[in-house]
């Protein structure tokens, strides 16, 4: 099934180019192309090291999800804190033009800063 889904994307894209029609939207094809990554797990049959890695990831899935959850909380909290600190720290009198003080316009801009910092 994984092989079929991994190659399905290629054949649908080829069919769309030949017929010049839009059978499936490009976004859906992009999601289907991510399925190619799962073909790596088929290699676990032949390499014992990959099998051990797979078992380790299964055994520690809860702890990994907890770590990701804490990282998400940290990103949200620290990006909001830096946004408001930057907003209060700006001297608005110096910002005559809208582009003068556009560093960190929204909290979403600070999400990237926080992710890269962590």
């Amino acid at each position: 099934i994984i092989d079929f889904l991994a190659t399905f994307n290629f054949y649908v894209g080829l069919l769309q180019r030949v017929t010049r029609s839009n059978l499936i939207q490009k976004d859906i094809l992009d999601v289907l192309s991510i399925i190619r990554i799962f073909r790596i797990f088929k290699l676990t049959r032949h390499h014992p090291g990959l099998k051990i890695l797979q078992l380790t990831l299964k055994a520690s899935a809860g702890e990994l999800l907890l770590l990701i959850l804490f990282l998400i909380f940290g990103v949200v909290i620290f990006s909001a804190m830096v946004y408001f600190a930057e907003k209060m720290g700006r001297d608005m009198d110096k910002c005559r033009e809208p582009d003068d003080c556009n560093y960190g316009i929204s909290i979403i801009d600070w999400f990237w800063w926080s992710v890269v910092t962590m």
Side-chain angles (χ1 to χ4, degrees):
I1 292 177
I2 292 174
D3 286 334
F4 172 74
L5 290 176
T7 57
F8 177 72
N9 181 22
F10 170 74
Y11 290 115
V12 169
L14 184 67
L15 184 65
Q16 282 183 348
R17 275 186 243 125
V18 170
T19 60
R20 294 190 170 121
S21 65
N22 241 352
L23 299 175
I24 297 179
Q25 291 181 356
K26 187 178 183 321
D27 296 336
I28 296 172
L29 286 177
D30 290 342
V31 170
L32 287 176
S33 68
I34 294 173
I35 294 175
R36 292 180 190 171
I37 295 171
F38 293 121
R39 294 181 74 188
I40 293 172
F41 293 119
K42 289 178 62 178
L43 294 175
T44 59
R45 291 184 233 161
H46 307 293
H47 300 288
L50 289 175
K51 190 173 280 193
I52 291 171
L53 179 64
Q54 181 183 17
L55 293 174
T56 304
L57 289 175
K58 279 184 183 178
S60 62
E63 290 82 4
L64 287 173
L65 289 175
L66 188 63
L67 174 68
I68 291 170
L69 182 70
F70 282 138
L71 283 174
I72 290 172
F73 282 154
V75 165
V76 170
I77 289 170
F78 287 114
S79 61
M81 286 174 50
V82 171
Y83 168 75
F84 287 114
E86 187 74 22
K87 187 176 179 181
M88 289 188 311
R90 279 189 230 153
D91 187 11
M92 289 304 193
D93 294 333
K94 293 180 182 176
C95 300
R96 307 238 186 251
E97 298 294 323
D99 293 334
D100 288 346
C101 294
N102 64 357
Y103 185 69
I105 294 173
S106 68
I107 294 177
I108 304 298
D109 293 333
W110 289 104
F111 276 1
W112 175 247
W113 170 84
S114 184
V115 166
V116 169
T117 303
M118 287 191 182

